[in-house]
């Protein structure tokens, strides 16, 4: 790699407009996932499936108090149990500094900055107090039940309600101010002709990915290898290096397949404890959390209580918008659940008050969960907009059109690309919104009341700096593209093969995208719907560098002689001049003439400076038809349409699947998901998918999705992230449809039948 060139590229601003913004040879094709055959045949190997010689198995003993100290811990019986190799507690665990925390430390993958198993202190109900390692998983699980612990309990803060007077603003919300005030919103509200002012509540949620959290770890001398299920191989490597006080080069994290992440497949105590136990034991260790373990030691989405107040004039000018509230958090993490983010960018309010506070609780560190903030924030905001439309006797789509801002209402920046009104227009037409009767209880189907609801979906555009990619182009016309990125089921390898093929002028079959390995050029995390565009930016930089190298190699005998990278493009397994396409030479020909087997480059993505100049977001309109039983109060979502405006779509097939997956998760949020938390003990009571309900096939109707496909000129390849926007707006669209069906306004998620009877 040429270090000097890499540095130079890194600090160039984003180029004005990607020349391939509308190029559509491979981009836009609905190709099947490149790993589909592997997955269907069961040959995709996940973290808990890596075979290792001499493997041992770990199980955790969980603390049962929310706050206090371990008084006594008796491991004798467990140590004597069949197959047991090691029982680790704070007494014999190696000394380890606290893991670096995500969003606070540039090397952090941990959701919490608590030290792991270093002393007798207990900070949440469920914290691991012992690790039992045995020859088999069954022996480890059985022996874990033989560790006897007594506690000295201290009073714990486990109720948001009881602690609300201690609410305080967090230092920042993902780097933004927790409070934005423009004008005088309370006064505007008091003077408004039409106003609503309501409180909305959302419960705790847990990530329930099909794949349980798992790691298979081993040490070779002082080198640690971790087969992990993670959304962040690089940060996991740097965090484990810090915890075990070894150089990063001595930690190797592999994560080729992840069975769903949704925000909490980062670094938690289980990888650290497994690695510590493995080092003590001198044997490889596997840890697979039980579903109960996932719920108790990896954090979920926290609970919120939100006030939304809107005041409008007769003609639908939004005079005042207030969105405030509280969320439960801990003193040892930094995820305040950014529920006021949508209101910062959606509506042309003259006066705005957006402020959120947190309440410190003794619980496992809550964390990011698919559209953290936006998913529950849009429930409150978009329910309130619907309530205002009812109060004004105005169609909610029309009201939102009147609220549409010309520039970002809080930053004052221009929108990079915003076609929300168009998304609404198309969605309403295809859904048949015009057939809706605004009068509640006016549509019936036998015992069912029928209602239509609509809500806005929105999620920010993030491109994470720091990613780099390598490309090796061989004489036979194949390219291997590498970046330490992640495949959690969303189609990363597929769309990145398409992108690299488009960029390099290759057929998609000639490209292999390799990822999921911390030894590859540094990837960015798979989070914040940022990964696709972050990879594209790095691969684009690498492709540009490769083109430069190839042009140099081509020399004076080539039809490309004297051309610069900006004057050419990849075409038909070679390079051609943009405005004189007859000037062409194939990659193979260039390499052969230069007597080179291949061309290899590595380059870093330029800094995402455009995101500081423009208000960059994705948008959508969610349309719901819900049926509510007059007898039982059951809600059945009968029809769904999501109409999105998310920049350019690379692969309609994987994109539709992402949108649908988000919407389905939103149906869970709307109708069933709720982590049951015992406020007396601080213990999460939900133990399995039998009592933490997620939508099953029968809960999910046919989901129609469409998109504007308008490229954002300020984003590489014109794309936006799409992993999270699908879930946003869904809670409100369901609640609004339920209101239209029944005349009952449910402001407390989930919308269960008891609330409708
Ligand atoms: Mo997501 S909550 O950024 O995986």
């Amino acid at each position: 790699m040429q270090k000097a060139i890499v540095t130079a590229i890194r600090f160039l601003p984003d180029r004005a407009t990607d020349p391939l913004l509308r190029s559509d040879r491979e981009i836009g094709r609905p190709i099947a996932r490149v790993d589909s055959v592997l997955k269907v045949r069961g040959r995709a190997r996940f973290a808990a499936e890596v075979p290792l010689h001499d493997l041992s198995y770990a199980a955790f003993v969980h603390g049962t108090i929310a706050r206090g100290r371990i008084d006594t811990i008796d491991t004798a019986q467990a140590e004597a149990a069949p197959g047991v190799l090691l029982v680790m507690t704070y007494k014999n665990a190696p000394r380890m500094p606290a893991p670096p925390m995500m969003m606070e430390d540039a090397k952090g993958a941990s959701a919490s900055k608590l030290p792991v198993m270093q002393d007798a202190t207990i900070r949440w109900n469920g914290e691991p107090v012992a690790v039992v390692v045995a020859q088999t998983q069954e022996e480890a699980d059985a022996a874990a039940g033989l560790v006897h612990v007594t506690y000295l309990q201290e009073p714990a803060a486990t109720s948001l309600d009881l602690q609300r007077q201690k609410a305080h603003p967090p230092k920042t919300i993902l780097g933004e101010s927790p409070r934005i005030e423009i004008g005088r919103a309370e006064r505007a509200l008091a003077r408004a002709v039409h106003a609503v002012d309501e409180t909305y509540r959302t419960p705790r949620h847990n990530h329930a990915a099909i794949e349980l959290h798992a790691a298979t770890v081993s040490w070779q001398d002082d080198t640690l290898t971790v087969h992990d299920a993670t959304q962040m191989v690089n940060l996991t490597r740097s965090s484990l290096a810090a915890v075990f006080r070894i150089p990063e080069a001595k930690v190797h994290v592999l994560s080729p397949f992840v069975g769903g992440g949704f925000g909490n497949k980062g670094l938690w105590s289980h990888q650290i404890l497994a690695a510590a136990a493995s080092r003590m034991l001198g044997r490889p260790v596997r840890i697979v959390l039980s579903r109960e373990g996932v719920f108790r030691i990896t954090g979920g989405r926290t609970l919120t209580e939100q006030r939304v107040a809107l005041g409008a004039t007769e003609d639908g000018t939004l005079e005042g918008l207030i969105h405030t509230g509280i969320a439960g958090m801990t003193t040892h993490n930094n995820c305040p659940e950014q529920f006021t983010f949508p209101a910062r960018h959606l509506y042309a309010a003259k006066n705005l008050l957006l402020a959120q506070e947190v309440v410190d609780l003794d619980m496992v560190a809550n964390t990011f969960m698919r559209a953290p903030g936006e998913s529950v924030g849009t429930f409150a905001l978009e329910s309130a907009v619907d309530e205002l439309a009812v109060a004004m006797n105005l169609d909610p789509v029309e009201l939102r059109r009147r609220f549409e801002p010309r520039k970002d209402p809080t930053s004052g920046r221009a929108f990079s690309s915003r076609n929300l009104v168009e998304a609404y227009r198309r969605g309403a037409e295809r859904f048949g919104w015009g057939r809706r009767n605004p009068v509640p209880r006016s549509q019936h189907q036998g015992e069912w009341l029928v209602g239509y609801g609509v809500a806005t979906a929105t999620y920010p555009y993030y491109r994470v700096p720091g990613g780099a990619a390598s490309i090796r182009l061989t004489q036979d016309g194949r390219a291997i593209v590498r970046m330490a990125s992640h495949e959690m089921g969303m189609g990363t390898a597929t769309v990145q093969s398409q992108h690299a093929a488009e960029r390099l002028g290759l057929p998609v079959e000639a490209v292999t995208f390799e990822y999921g390995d911390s030894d590859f050029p540094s990837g960015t995390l798979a989070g914040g719907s940022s990964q696709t565009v972050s990879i594209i930016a790095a691969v684009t930089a690498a492709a540009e560098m490769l083109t430069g190298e190839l042009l140099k190699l081509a020399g004076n005998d080539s039809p490309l002689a004297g051309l610069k990278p900006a004057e050419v493009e990849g075409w038909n397994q070679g390079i051609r001049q943009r405005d004189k396409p007859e000037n062409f030479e194939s990659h193979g020909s260039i390499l052969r003439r230069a007597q080179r087997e291949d061309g290899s480059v590595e380059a870093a993505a330029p800094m995402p400076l455009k995101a500081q100049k423009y208000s960059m977001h994705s948008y959508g309109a969610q349309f719901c038809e819900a049926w509510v039983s007059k007898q039982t109060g059951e809600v059945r979502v009968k029809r769904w349409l999501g109409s999105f405006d998310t920049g350019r779509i690379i692969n309609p097939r994987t994109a539709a699947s992402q949108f649908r997956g988000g919407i389905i998760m939103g149906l869970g949020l709307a109708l069933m998901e709720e982590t049951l938390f015992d406020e007396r003990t601080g213990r999460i009571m939900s133990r399995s998918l039998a009592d933490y309900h997620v939508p099953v096939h029968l809960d999910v109707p046919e989901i129609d999705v469409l998109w504007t496909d308008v490229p954002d000129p300020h984003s590489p390849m014109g794309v936006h992230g799409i992993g999270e926007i699908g879930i946003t707006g869904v809670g409100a669209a369901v609640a609004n449809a339920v209101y239209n069906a029944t005349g009952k306004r449910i402001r407390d998620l989930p919308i269960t039948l008891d609330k409708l009877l």
Side-chain angles (χ1 to χ4, degrees):
M1 180 184 28
Q2 300 169 13
K3 275 262 159 45
I5 297 176
V6 170
T7 314
I9 289 177
R10 179 191 288 269
F11 289 102
L12 285 178
D14 290 10
R15 68 169 112 208
T17 299
D18 190 336
L20 297 194
L21 203 63
R22 290 185 170 77
S23 173
D24 60 0
R25 200 171 41 77
E26 294 292 349
I27 301 287
R29 282 179 59 206
I31 65 167
R33 288 160 195 273
V34 295
D35 52 11
S36 53
V37 173
L38 272 185
K39 283 184 172 167
V40 169
R41 290 186 176 166
R43 295 209 180 131
R45 186 172 277 162
F46 290 78
E49 300 174 322
V50 178
L52 285 182
H53 176 67
D54 224 16
L55 188 61
S56 58
Y57 299 82
F60 292 162
V61 180
H62 299 274
T64 55
I65 62 167
R67 186 187 169 91
R69 297 177 59 75
I70 297 169
D71 188 16
T72 65
I73 187 159
D74 177 1
T75 57
Q77 210 185 338
E79 278 161 357
V84 170
L85 302 164
L86 170 73
V87 180
M88 188 173 83
T89 69
Y90 76 92
K91 294 183 176 176
N92 60 346
R95 294 306 96 191
M96 300 178 278
M101 186 162 69
M102 240 194 298
M103 317 285 302
E104 182 181 86
D105 188 312
K107 293 177 180 297
S110 177
S112 138
K113 57 182 171 194
L114 286 179
V116 178
M117 204 170 273
Q118 294 298 294
D119 58 31
T121 313
I122 302 284
R123 295 99 163 170
W124 85 86
N125 192 326
E127 186 173 351
V129 294
V131 183
V132 178
V133 185
Q135 302 274 8
T136 68
Q137 187 68 59
E138 291 75 14
E139 287 167 333
D141 291 342
L146 303 174
V147 174
H148 304 289
V149 193
T150 61
Y151 301 94
L152 299 169
Q153 208 165 332
E154 290 165 21
T158 45
S159 162
L160 185 80
D161 205 38
L162 293 178
Q163 300 293 321
R164 67 171 62 243
Q165 71 283 359
K166 295 188 189 153
H168 61 90
K171 253 183 272 166
T172 81
I173 306 177
L174 309 188
E176 291 194 22
S177 169
R179 184 184 177 90
I180 294 178
E181 195 165 4
I182 296 171
R184 299 175 68 175
E186 293 283 5
R187 196 177 59 173
L189 187 72
R191 291 178 181 175
V193 184
H194 299 287
V196 294
D197 190 346
E198 298 291 349
T199 300
Y200 304 84
R201 290 181 182 83
T202 64
R204 289 181 170 81
H205 295 144
N206 270 105
H207 309 70
I210 290 178
E211 182 203 25
L212 297 160
H213 291 56
T216 303
V217 305
S218 60
W219 289 85
Q220 206 109 49
D221 303 319
D222 59 347
T223 298
L224 171 63
T225 302
V226 181
H227 299 272
D228 197 10
T230 181
Q231 303 178 222
M232 45 195 93
V233 287
N234 293 117
L235 295 174
T236 298
R237 176 181 63 176
S238 49
S239 293
L240 288 172
V243 169
F244 291 99
R245 298 189 176 99
I246 52 178
E248 282 183 29
K250 299 227 170 210
V251 182
H252 190 190
V253 180
L254 296 122
S255 191
F257 298 104
V258 179
F262 312 116
N264 92 327
K265 288 242 173 92
L267 182 68
W268 297 91
S269 50
H270 64 281
Q271 298 105 319
I272 294 171
L273 291 170
S278 170
R279 197 177 208 182
M280 280 178 78
L281 200 55
R283 276 177 73 161
V285 170
R286 173 170 299 156
I287 176 72
V288 183
L289 298 185
S290 62
R291 188 64 65 182
E292 183 182 12
V294 171
F295 289 175
R296 294 186 79 184
I297 74 162
T298 81
R301 194 196 303 283
T302 193
L303 70 175
T304 74
E305 188 179 290
Q306 306 172 48
R307 174 191 175 205
V308 182
L310 304 167
T313 61
E314 197 62 63
D315 68 348
T317 302
L318 185 57
E319 290 291 324
L321 192 174
I322 297 172
H323 194 164
T324 58
I326 54 175
M329 209 174 91
T330 76
T331 54
H332 47 83
N333 73 323
N334 58 3
C335 184
E337 199 71 28
Q338 61 270 27
F339 56 78
T340 59
F341 274 20
R344 294 175 183 215
H345 314 287
L346 273 185
Y347 297 121
K350 289 189 177 162
N351 299 278
L352 271 159
L353 172 59
L354 311 171
Q356 49 183 113
E357 295 194 320
V358 293
V359 171
D360 299 329
L361 297 176
D362 293 306
M363 61 179 194
V364 63
N366 60 291
T367 194
F368 304 98
M369 179 163 162
R370 207 170 197 171
E374 288 82 7
S375 53
V376 290
T378 52
F379 166 65
L381 179 64
E382 293 301 293
S383 292
V385 171
D386 199 71
E387 298 200 48
L388 184 64
V390 170
M392 297 176 72
N393 198 17
L394 203 61
D395 182 275
V397 174
E398 170 57 20
L399 183 61
R400 287 181 177 87
R401 195 190 60 76
R402 294 187 193 179
F403 286 175
E404 183 68 9
R406 273 197 286 273
K407 57 184 175 62
D408 188 289
T410 50
S411 70
R413 291 179 195 146
F415 294 112
S416 65
S417 178
R418 174 163 168 146
N419 307 284
L420 176 57
V421 173
E422 174 64 8
Y424 262 106
R425 194 194 59 73
R426 291 180 185 204
E429 189 182 304
R430 184 136 132 193
F431 187 76
W433 180 253
R435 294 199 301 272
R436 171 182 183 258
N437 187 332
V439 179
R441 305 185 76 86
S442 58
Q443 296 184 72
H444 304 257
Q445 290 283 344
E447 72 160 281
W448 301 87
L449 293 163
V450 177
Y452 286 13
V454 72
T456 293
T458 186
Y459 192 79
Y461 171 95
Y462 297 112
R463 176 156 87 70
V464 178
S470 70
I471 303 175
R472 189 163 85 91
L473 185 76
T474 52
Q475 228 187 56
D476 62 354
R478 299 193 58 81
I480 296 166
V481 182
R482 283 182 167 174
M483 185 165 176
S485 41
H486 314 84
E487 175 65 86
M488 308 189 284
M490 64 284 220
T492 307
T494 309
V495 301
Q496 294 304 339
S497 297
Q498 287 177 270
H499 168 252
E502 188 86 46
R503 197 64 72 183
L504 296 169
L506 299 177
V508 70
E509 300 76 26
V511 176
T512 309
F513 183 77
E514 298 185 344
Y515 60 91
D517 184 327
S518 64
D519 282 355
F520 290 168
S522 169
T524 59
L525 84 169
S529 299
S530 67
Q531 188 180 244
T532 298
V533 75
S534 303
I535 298 173
I536 286 178
V539 171
T540 301
E544 213 167 74
M545 186 185 279
L546 180 67
T547 305
E549 300 277 310
L550 289 170
L551 287 174
K552 267 188 254 162
L553 291 179
N556 292 331
D557 298 337
S558 169
L560 304 169
L563 294 174
K564 299 199 170 56
E567 298 167 301
V568 300
E569 63 187 356
W571 178 257
N572 199 17
Q573 304 182 59
I575 298 174
R576 70 177 182 184
Q577 188 173 357
R578 261 181 220 290
D579 37 1
K580 272 200 204 144
E582 65 275 19
N583 286 335
F584 169 87
E585 185 171 9
S586 76
H587 298 133
S589 158
I590 296 172
L591 288 169
R592 271 191 299 276
R593 187 148 31 80
Q595 297 182 316
R596 293 275 293 262
E597 277 303 307
D598 57 25
S600 278
V601 294
E602 178 175 330
M607 291 294 282
L609 300 178
K610 286 290 177 78
Q612 287 159 31
K613 275 189 235 156
Y614 294 95
S615 175
M616 297 181 79
H617 299 268
S618 284
Y619 306 96
Q622 307 270 23
F623 292 85
C624 168
E625 178 180 328
W627 291 22
V628 183
S629 166
K630 288 182 238 179
Q631 264 91 55
T632 66
E634 279 169 86
V635 179
R636 298 268 171 85
V637 172
K638 283 288 183 179
R639 215 153 57 84
W640 198 276
L641 183 144
S643 176
F644 296 97
D645 176 47
T646 54
R648 196 160 185 215
I649 294 299
I650 300 174
N651 181 327
R653 191 152 153 184
T654 53
S657 174
Q658 278 283 71
F659 289 131
R660 289 199 177 101
I663 290 164
I664 292 167
M665 208 160 157
L667 294 177
L669 168 141
L671 296 172
M672 54 201 78
E673 286 190 51
E674 178 173 21
T675 302
L676 300 173
F677 183 88
D678 186 340
E679 293 198 342
R680 298 165 304 176
T681 61
R683 178 165 177 163
I684 288 173
M685 297 183 285
S686 310
R687 301 203 308 173
S688 71
L689 298 182
D691 46 21
Y692 185 85
H693 291 177
V694 296
V696 298
H697 283 297
L698 276 173
D699 296 313
V700 181
E702 184 165 332
I703 297 175
D704 196 5
V705 288
L706 53 152
W707 45 80
T708 56
D709 212 16
V710 178
D712 183 338
H714 304 295
S715 174
M717 205 47 118
V719 308
H720 282 196
I722 58 168
E724 287 164 280
I725 188 163
I727 192 176
T728 69
V730 175
V734 173
N736 298 342
V738 165
Y739 173 81
N740 182 236
T742 65
K744 283 191 182 151
R745 183 62 69 176
I746 307 301
R747 303 187 184 92
D748 265 301
L749 291 181
I751 305 170
T752 45
L753 47 80
D754 51 302
K755 296 172 186 169
L756 286 164
L757 283 175

